Amino acid sequence: MRERVWLVVAVLLLIVVPLVPAAITHGSPAPLIGLPVESIIVLALLALLPWRAARLVVATGFGVLVVFALVLAGIDSGYRTVLDIHFDPLDWQQLGDAFGVVRGFIGAPAASALLALLVLVAAGTIVVLSWAALRVAGALRPHVRGTTVLSTVAAAWIIAALVGAHVVAGQPAAAAASVRAISASATRAAEGIAAVAELSPQIANDPYRDLPGSELLTALRGKDVVVAFIESYGRVAVEGSDVSAGVRRVLRDGEEQLRADGYASRSAFLTSPTFGGLSWLAHSTLQTGLWIDRQPLYSKLIRSDRFTLSDAFGSAGWRTVSVIPSNTDPWPFGTSFYHWDTLLDAHDVGYRGPSFGYARIPDQYTWKHFADTELARDAQPVMAEIDLVSSHTPWAPLPKLVPWSEIGDGSVFDPQPAQGPSATEVWQDPDRVRQAYGQSIEYSLGAMLDFLHQTDDPNLVLVLLGDHQPATIVSGQGAGHDVPISIIAKDPAVLASIDGWRWQDGMLPSPDAPVWPMSDFRDRFLDAFSAG
């Protein structure tokens, strides 16, 4: 009796587990009703092979194939949920960054334990599937009817495939879920390789590379120009959502303060090449005028000689600065590709305060350090890109604004992480996640407005934009990739140079504001502010 029970368990494993990749892909249990061809093939092979060692290799290979398909389907589902894209196997290096985000959620020990558990589950599943295949094949082999049973099942699968039979509406009875999951990943990898090949002529076709510096950005001479990305600052933050009311209030109040301080602004939307993460794709798209929407393209781009906005400013006489407070490791491409004169990361800004989850340094401190060290130099105008991180997922714990004069080395922030909910608490409820996201954007905008209020620089020009929309849990299913962008300056001539863009006055673009691909910005910006 016990043997029969274990045989039934083995049969069920062979029927159900190879179908799980399809269930993960569709987000529904319906694909679990079907006949997996992978199990039919492995049983046929095991029935034909006379050598025990060969059968063990085949059974193990079957387990590895199914688990590999499960892993690919699981990662792809995560990418679609968070980033609104399919996983490209060529992006495998980014799984380390994903692990870093998880570590920011739950802490390094818990993240390491979770990773170890997943590895153990994967290894255990391979063992269990191998056992199930050998167990069922062993029950069939001693009997002639084993071959008959396999032949009958295989014939049923072929007929079901040919006639398109469905056990459940929309789900074919003849299934190859594991093979399809692997095949889909291979297809995406092939598409990625083709996209990389197409990038080379796009990199080479650049009308700005050979322009002399004397002809570039002439309308901005003597100005300090800052391009600031606010992490996850998407269209959802400013319109039509349960998080936008607070953000809109901050922007409206901020506009009043800006006008009082002598600033004016124009705003619109850009369509980002990424969603929910992978911010560097947006940064490189804005800088190069190329649509960089996948990691292999980025990897090729930053090893090229494409002319960037930072190159243009450097060629025209600006001192260029990169401020990335989330970076803790050396970034050689900052000098070899972007050609920044100065690179500031987490180790270079003198911060002595607490970290706030993934965001190691509060935005307000970043702005204060930049104002005190980089803008304070009078010898040469500065062009900087600042990649702000306080609004990076998991949006908890969050910093609060402090008086500008008290920021110091950041130790003033010491009590703040314990004063608000942790990421674990926030992520127990989707409504709290959305609320925390909105609060993080309000903080980031508030820090930027505080910087402008405190910085009395008549020659300051600020380009403020989001890098991408927040993850689906905030943006919702089917959300677009648009992000707000504003140009803020005191000199009326700066905004007069972009009159032809028809951007809207103020920092709060309306739903009918212009929308450009983010890749259009470099060329339009250089055209608007350069000679001729």
Side-chain angles (χ1 to χ4, degrees), residues 206-208 286 288-289 306 309 501 519-528:
D206 190 343
Y208 298 97
L286 187 94
T288 65
R306 179 70 177 185
L309 274 178
W501 293 3
S519 53
D520 282 5
F521 182 82
R522 187 204 70 160
D523 291 5
R524 295 199 185 200
F525 187 87
L526 292 176
D527 284 345

Side-chain angles (χ1 to χ4, degrees), residues 54-289:
R55 293 199 298 274
L56 181 60
V57 169
V58 169
T60 303
F62 165 72
V64 169
L65 180 141
V66 174
V67 168
F68 185 48
L70 286 168
V71 170
L72 288 175
I75 295 174
D76 184 62
S77 177
Y79 265 58
R80 285 184 287 111
T81 299
V82 177
L83 304 176
D84 195 32
I85 59 173
H86 285 285
F87 171 62
D88 182 344
L90 299 178
D91 290 350
W92 63 269
Q93 293 174 315
Q94 301 315 313
L95 298 179
D97 294 288
F99 179 73
V101 173
V102 173
R103 187 169 51 207
F105 272 80
I106 62 179
S112 298
L114 177 61
L115 179 61
L117 177 61
L118 292 174
V119 171
L120 287 174
V121 169
T125 304
I126 292 173
V127 172
V128 168
L129 287 173
S130 302
W131 166 82
L134 291 169
R135 181 70 183 81
V136 174
L140 295 174
R141 281 178 62 83
H143 307 286
V144 176
R145 70 174 181 274
T147 304
T148 304
V149 170
L150 282 175
S151 299
T152 302
V153 172
W157 191 94
I158 293 170
I159 293 171
L162 290 174
V163 302
H166 291 72
V167 179
V168 177
Q171 302 300 332
S178 295
V179 171
R180 285 197 178 106
I182 296 172
S183 174
S185 290
T187 298
R188 288 192 289 272
E191 292 171 349
I193 292 171
V196 169
E198 293 171 1
L199 184 63
S200 294
Q202 297 176 36
I203 291 173
N205 182 22
D206 190 343
Y208 298 97
R209 177 187 295 147
D210 298 324
L211 283 179
S214 59
E215 296 182 16
L216 289 169
L217 302 162
T218 52
L220 292 175
R221 292 288 164 83
K223 308 291 187 188
D224 292 317
V225 181
V226 179
V227 177
F229 284 94
I230 291 184
E231 170 68 32
S232 300
Y233 181 37
R235 188 164 190 153
V236 69
V238 297
E239 67 178 45
S241 74
D242 55 357
V243 303
S244 61
V247 174
R248 293 170 68 87
R249 182 174 60 252
V250 169
L251 288 173
R252 289 195 194 96
D253 293 345
E255 285 177 16
E256 293 183 11
Q257 182 64 60
L258 289 178
R259 284 194 294 271
D261 291 338
Y263 291 98
S265 57
R266 301 272 180 86
S267 299
F269 291 104
L270 300 181
T271 301
S272 173
T274 185
F275 180 99
L278 309 181
S279 304
W280 50 91
L281 303 184
H283 303 166
S284 60
T285 293
L286 187 94
Q287 280 265 2
T288 65

Side-chain angles (χ1 to χ4, degrees), residues 4 14 29 59 83 137 146 170 175 203 245 283 293 297 303 306 312 322 375 378 386 410 429 473 521:
R4 290 182 179 179
L14 293 182
L83 304 176
I203 291 173
H283 303 166
D293 62 350
L297 294 178
R303 290 168 174 83
R306 179 70 177 185
S322 166
L375 283 185
D378 297 326
I386 303 179
D429 180 359
I473 191 172
F521 182 82

